[in-house]
Amino acid sequence: MSTLSAKGLRKSFGGVVAVDGADLDLHEGRINGLIGPNGSGKTTLFNIVTGMIKADSGTVRLGGTEVTGWSPHRIAHAGLGRTFQLCRVFPRLTVMENMLVSLRRPRLRDILGGLTSKADVEVAMGWLERVGLDHLAGTDARDLSYGQQKLLELAAVLMADPQLILLDEPAGGVNPALIDRIGDLVRDLNAEGRTFLIVEHNMAMVMSLCQHIIVFDRGRPIAAGPPAEIQSDPRVLEAYLGV
């Protein structure tokens, strides 16, 4: 079953075409990688399918439902979560408060005043334990390392129980130990039934983690397949690896 399908997506900014008639088809249950040179349109594609920006043309379907033009909030509630290339947390809120804010149900003043449901707090603590941040629940997010902030961002995304998760450069600015932890967490979540699409420049991580890789160049896919096939594809070597 296709969990995310995009057809004919196009987006230009002024005279620059960022995404050029791109098609994308992700199948449920896989860890997918999306690689390509800087400026090839990967993050723009993420922004289109998550509703952050509107495509000039083309359609997006999520689990068989067309979501073209939907708001980010509505798409998130339909089961798609995402993290960002530059980590997005609320620095002056505690780790637990960041988790509860991500639910968007309680008002911020209620969260800060401790007026949140016990069930929500228990779910949040469970995810914090999964990512290894439960002992920092009362710490301000600004006092975490950048890698810990990325783990917090992912944990907050998981509060909505998405079945498809888009990760934008999860290894960027993160030390090797935390990269390994993120990779192990993605594998575990995938084994539990979640599908991933990961934009990443760390090729060692991509090749060891992803089961299927899509290569973008000049705004559209030029190759797709398992890691071994992608590593030897002459189009990929020319466009991405510079060979």
Side-chain angles (χ1 to χ4, degrees):
M1 177 181 177
S2 176
T3 186
L4 176 68
S5 177
K7 301 297 181 185
L9 290 183
R10 180 179 175 86
K11 180 65 181 179
S12 60
F13 300 95
V16 178
V17 178
V19 176
D20 188 11
D23 295 341
L24 182 69
D25 195 21
L26 301 185
H27 288 273
E28 187 175 1
R30 288 197 294 199
I31 303 174
N32 303 274
L34 179 61
I35 66 173
N38 286 329
S40 60
K42 305 181 299 297
T43 295
T44 301
L45 179 71
F46 264 32
N47 288 337
I48 291 172
V49 301
T50 57
M52 301 294 292
I53 61 176
K54 294 187 183 300
D56 298 330
S57 59
T59 60
V60 179
R61 301 182 72 86
L62 181 62
T65 300
E66 185 169 344
V67 298
T68 311
W70 284 20
S71 69
H73 182 65
R74 189 179 177 192
I75 291 174
H77 275 281
L80 192 158
R82 63 113 20 125
T83 64
F84 291 84
Q85 184 176 349
L86 298 176
C87 185
R88 294 190 181 186
V89 298
F90 296 97
R92 295 182 180 275
L93 298 185
T94 68
V95 167
M96 177 57 74
E97 288 164 352
N98 269 272
M99 295 291 287
L100 297 173
V101 164
S102 70
L103 288 174
R104 302 182 187 276
R105 291 200 303 265
R107 293 176 299 180
L108 180 58
R109 67 181 182 184
D110 291 339
I111 292 172
L112 296 177
L115 301 177
T116 52
S117 77
K118 182 179 178 181
D120 285 345
V121 172
E122 288 177 351
V123 171
M125 188 59 77
W127 283 119
L128 289 175
E129 186 175 356
R130 285 287 300 271
V131 303
L133 297 178
D134 50 311
H135 64 295
L136 297 171
T139 302
D140 286 353
R142 61 184 171 182
D143 294 328
L144 302 181
S145 71
Y146 189 65
Q148 289 172 328
Q149 289 182 16
K150 287 211 166 189
L151 288 171
L152 173 58
E153 184 184 33
L154 177 55
V157 165
L158 290 165
M159 285 290 284
D161 195 29
Q163 293 307 298
L164 171 61
I165 303 173
L166 278 55
L167 303 180
D168 198 347
E169 297 195 26
V174 177
N175 69 53
L178 279 178
I179 290 174
D180 290 341
R181 185 188 299 181
I182 292 169
D184 289 341
L185 179 61
V186 168
R187 290 185 185 94
D188 290 344
L189 292 168
N190 175 249
E192 295 166 11
R194 300 179 201 271
T195 303
F196 284 85
L197 178 61
I198 304 172
V199 165
E200 184 52 65
H201 288 290
N202 184 322
M203 286 298 99
M205 182 182 191
V206 170
M207 295 301 169
S208 65
L209 181 61
C210 297
Q211 301 147 346
H212 183 80
I213 298 172
I214 303 151
V215 185
F216 243 54
D217 187 36
R218 299 179 183 178
R220 64 173 61 191
I222 60 168
E229 182 179 310
I230 291 300
Q231 286 177 302
S232 60
D233 190 307
R235 295 167 298 177
V236 178
L237 295 175
E238 179 181 359
Y240 187 73
L241 303 177
V243 175

